[in-house]
C-alpha cells in the first residue's frame, strides 16, 4: 500500500491517469477529509475500487495519546516500521499550534534536550511528517475550522538534517488544492545547520525561520549545542542576516534559560549585541527540567530580569509558556515516558 500523504500533486499526476485525478484526490483527502475512495463520488466507480486496492488515504490509528491538564495533547503516531513519531497539539484561542517531528530521535546531542540523549534513529519520510499534521488536525478540529492552526517544526529531530523530506512535506501542506497552509503559518526551527540553511534561503517558497540559540558566546554554545563547533555563532548569524524576509517578517530566536548557565544579565546583554540589526524576536524558554538533565530552571525573578535586559536593548522578548509539561509534551521532553 502507498500512503497518499507521501506524494506531491505533480507526482500523482504522473502516477495516475487521467492527470487531474491527483487533484481530485487531494481535494477529497485534505479539504473534505474523505476516509474512503468510495466516498469520492466525483470519481468513476471502477476507479474507486482500483485505487482502494493500492492506496491508503487514512492516517494510521494513533498509538497513544497523552492529555495534559492544560489541554495540550501529545500523540505517538505509528509508522510503517515499529518506530513512532511524536506530535503535539497545543490549543490556544484562535491560534492552535501543531508541533511536529522531522526525525525519530536527533543526532545533534544538545546537552539540555532529552531527544538529544537518544541519538538519531532515522529520518521521517515526507508522508510521515504530513501524517502527523493530519492526525492532530482531525483529532482536534472540525471540518469547518480545519485550518485554524499553525505548524511548528519543533518536535523531535533537526528539520534541516532531513532537508529533502521536510521540504517535500512543506510543499504538500502548502498545496492550494490540498491543505492550503500559507507559508506564514509554518515555522521551521533549526539548531543552525548552515549549508542547509543557505539552501532554504534559495527556495521558491520559504517558511518562517526560528533559530535555536541558547548560548550567546561560542564558548558556552560549543558546550550546550555541539553543532556550534562546526558552525559557530558568527557564521550562523551571517547566514540569518542574508536570509530573505518579507516586509515586517522577523526571525524567531529560541533561547533556553538554564540556571547559572545562560540566565545572567551579562548573557542577556551578549544576546542583545548579537541580534543587533536583525529583525528578530526572542522566545525565552525556561528549561523544562528532567532527572536526566544536569541543568535547572532559573527562578521567575531571574527569568524576568533576563527579559527586561533584552527589552531595555530594544529586543522583543517573550517568555514561552510552559505547556504540556505533565505529559512530557513540552520543549525538549519528547521521547520520555513512552510506555
Ligand atoms: N532541532 C531543531 C528543532 C527542535 S526545536 C532546533 O533545535 O531548533 C526544540 C526547541 O526546544 C529548541 O529550541 C530547543 O532549544 C528547545 N529545548 C530543548 N530542550 C529543552 C528543554 N529541556 N527545556 C526547554 N526547551 C528545550
Amino acid at each position: 500500500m502507498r500512503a497518499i500523504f507521501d506524494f506531491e500533486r505533480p507526482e500523482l499526476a504522473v502516477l495516475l491517469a487521467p492527470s487531474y485525478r491527483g487533484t481530485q484526490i487531494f481535494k477529497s483527502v485534505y479539504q473534505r477529509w474523505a476516509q474512503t475512495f468510495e466516498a469520492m463520488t466525483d470519481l468513476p466507480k471502477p476507479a474507486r475500487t482500483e485505487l482502494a486496492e493500492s492506496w491508503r488515504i487514512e492516517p494510521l490509528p494513533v498509538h497513544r495519546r497523552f492529555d495534559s491538564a492544560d489541554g495540550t495533547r501529545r500523540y505517538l503516531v505509528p509508522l510503517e516500521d515499529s518506530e513512532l513519531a511524536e506530535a503535539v497539539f497545543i490549543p490556544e484561542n484562535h491560534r492552535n499550534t501543531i508541533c511536529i517531528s522531522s526525525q525519530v530521535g536527533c543526532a545533534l546531542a544538545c546537552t539540555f534536550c532529552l531527544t538529544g540523549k537518544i541519538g538519531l534513529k532515522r529520518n521521517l519520510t515526507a508522508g510521515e511528517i504530513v501524517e502527523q499534521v493530519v492526525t492532530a488536525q482531525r483529532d482536534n478540529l472540525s471540518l469547518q475550522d480545519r485550518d485554524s492552526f499553525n505548524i511548528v517544526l519543533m518536535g523531535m529531530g533537526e528539520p534541516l538534517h532531513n532537508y529533502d523530506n521536510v521540504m517535500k512535506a512543506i510543499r504538500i501542506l502548502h498545496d492550494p488544492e490540498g491543505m492550503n497552509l500559507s507559508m506564514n503559518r509554518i515555522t521551521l526551527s533549526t539548531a543552525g545547520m548552515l549549508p542547509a540553511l543557505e539552501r532554504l534561503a534559495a527556495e521558491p517558497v520559504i517558511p518562517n525561520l526560528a533559530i535555536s540559540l541558547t548560548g550567546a558566546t561560542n564558548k558556552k554554545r560549543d558546550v550546550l549545542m555541539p553543532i556550534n563547533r562546526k558552525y559557530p555563532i558568527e557564521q550562523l548569524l551571517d547566514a540569518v542576516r542574508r536570509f530573505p524576509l518579507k516586509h515586517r517578517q522577523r526571525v524567531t530566536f529560541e533561547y533556553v534559560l538554564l540556571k547559572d548557565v545562560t540566565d545572567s544579565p551579562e548573557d542577556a546583554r551578549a544576546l542583545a549585541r548579537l541580534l543587533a540589526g536583525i529583525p528578530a524576536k526572542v522566545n525565552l524558554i525556561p528549561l523544562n527540567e528532567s532527572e536526566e538533565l544536569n541543568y535547572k530552571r532559573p527562578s521567575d525573578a531571574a527569568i524576568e530580569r533576563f527579559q527586561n535586559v533584552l527589552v531595555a536593548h530594544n529586543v522583543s522578548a517573550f517568555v514561552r509558556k510552559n505547556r504540556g509539561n505533565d505529559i512530557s509534551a513540552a520543549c525538549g521532553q519528547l521521547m520520555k515516558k513512552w510506555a
Side-chain angles (χ1 to χ4, degrees):
M1 283 292 239
R2 287 164 146 168
I4 198 74
F5 309 111
D6 237 327
F7 292 84
E8 291 178 66
R9 210 154 45 86
E11 292 179 303
L12 293 180
V14 174
L15 284 172
L16 303 174
S19 60
Y20 56 82
R21 190 68 84 223
T23 301
Q24 290 178 309
I25 296 175
F26 246 61
K27 281 205 164 117
S28 294
V29 168
Y30 294 111
Q31 299 184 359
R32 298 196 272 270
W33 297 3
Q35 309 198 338
T36 60
F37 281 104
E38 220 28 66
M40 300 185 194
T41 47
D42 52 343
L43 265 52
K45 202 121 177 76
R48 290 184 234 164
T49 315
E50 202 182 305
L51 286 162
E53 280 161 16
S54 38
W55 291 88
R56 176 170 69 81
I57 57 169
E58 266 280 81
L60 297 172
V62 171
H63 176 81
R64 185 149 180 211
R65 191 183 88 189
F66 300 84
D67 290 13
S68 165
D70 69 20
T72 300
R73 288 171 164 178
R74 170 170 165 239
Y75 295 86
L76 303 186
V77 177
L79 308 174
E80 299 277 3
D81 54 10
S82 53
E83 298 290 353
L84 296 168
E86 300 206 24
V88 181
F89 184 91
I90 308 151
E92 250 166 322
N93 290 343
H94 309 297
R95 201 190 53 122
N96 303 302
T97 303
I98 297 177
C99 175
I100 55 174
S101 299
S102 54
Q103 300 180 309
V104 182
C106 184
L108 299 191
C110 300
T111 54
F112 50 90
C113 177
L114 280 185
T115 306
K117 301 269 174 217
I118 59 166
L120 177 63
K121 292 202 176 167
R122 74 167 172 85
N123 281 333
L124 293 176
T125 64
E128 290 166 342
I129 296 169
V130 171
E131 199 162 321
Q132 293 172 64
V133 178
V134 173
T135 295
Q137 176 194 35
R138 294 188 188 175
D139 196 47
N140 291 281
L141 304 172
S142 64
L143 203 49
Q144 289 70 38
D145 59 4
R146 67 170 187 276
D147 52 11
S148 63
F149 63 91
N150 296 334
I151 291 181
V152 295
L153 280 142
M154 296 187 185
M156 276 200 273
E158 166 53 46
L160 295 186
H161 198 195
N162 183 18
Y163 190 90
D164 291 331
N165 293 342
V166 164
M167 290 313 294
K168 181 175 178 183
I170 289 176
R171 287 192 299 271
I172 295 170
L173 296 167
H174 178 60
D175 191 316
E177 305 283 2
M179 208 179 276
N180 193 18
L181 274 185
S182 91
M183 278 294 148
N184 58 29
R185 303 215 342 240
I186 304 179
T187 300
L188 185 152
S189 178
T190 178
M193 304 274 303
L194 272 201
L197 184 58
E198 271 157 16
R199 221 177 133 192
L200 181 66
E203 291 281 346
V205 278
I206 307 180
N208 294 314
L209 180 65
I211 303 281
S212 295
L213 209 52
T214 311
T217 61
N218 284 321
K219 196 158 170 253
K220 285 194 183 184
R221 199 166 186 265
D222 277 352
V223 176
L224 298 167
M225 302 180 66
I227 193 178
N228 194 69
R229 296 174 209 160
K230 203 160 173 195
Y231 308 117
I233 292 179
E234 305 73 51
Q235 286 179 29
L236 173 58
L237 293 184
D238 269 354
V240 171
R241 283 196 173 83
R242 288 195 304 271
F243 198 80
L245 294 178
K246 293 187 212 100
H247 182 57
R248 303 188 69 154
Q249 194 182 12
R250 294 190 286 179
V251 177
T252 301
F253 287 87
E254 293 147 283
Y255 186 96
V256 181
L257 289 168
L258 308 166
K259 183 176 160 56
D260 299 332
V261 182
T262 63
D263 66 342
S264 72
E266 204 177 308
D267 292 314
R269 282 190 292 273
L271 178 58
R273 273 195 300 276
L274 284 180
L275 302 185
I278 300 177
K281 128 179 150 198
V282 175
N283 265 341
L284 298 171
I285 317 177
L287 176 76
N288 294 309
E289 292 185 356
S290 158
E291 285 150 26
E292 289 114 287
L293 301 172
N294 295 323
Y295 301 101
K296 292 279 165 232
R297 182 186 205 274
S299 67
D300 288 346
I303 295 167
E304 206 185 311
R305 188 181 58 189
F306 194 97
Q307 183 183 20
N308 288 340
V309 173
L310 290 180
V311 172
H313 286 77
N314 296 317
V315 176
S316 21
F318 305 89
V319 179
R320 174 87 65 88
K321 259 188 271 153
N322 190 323
R323 301 289 303 265
N325 215 348
D326 53 340
I327 54 164
S328 297
C331 307
Q333 294 194 316
L334 298 186
M335 207 59 187
K336 204 180 151 190
K337 292 186 201 139
W338 267 48

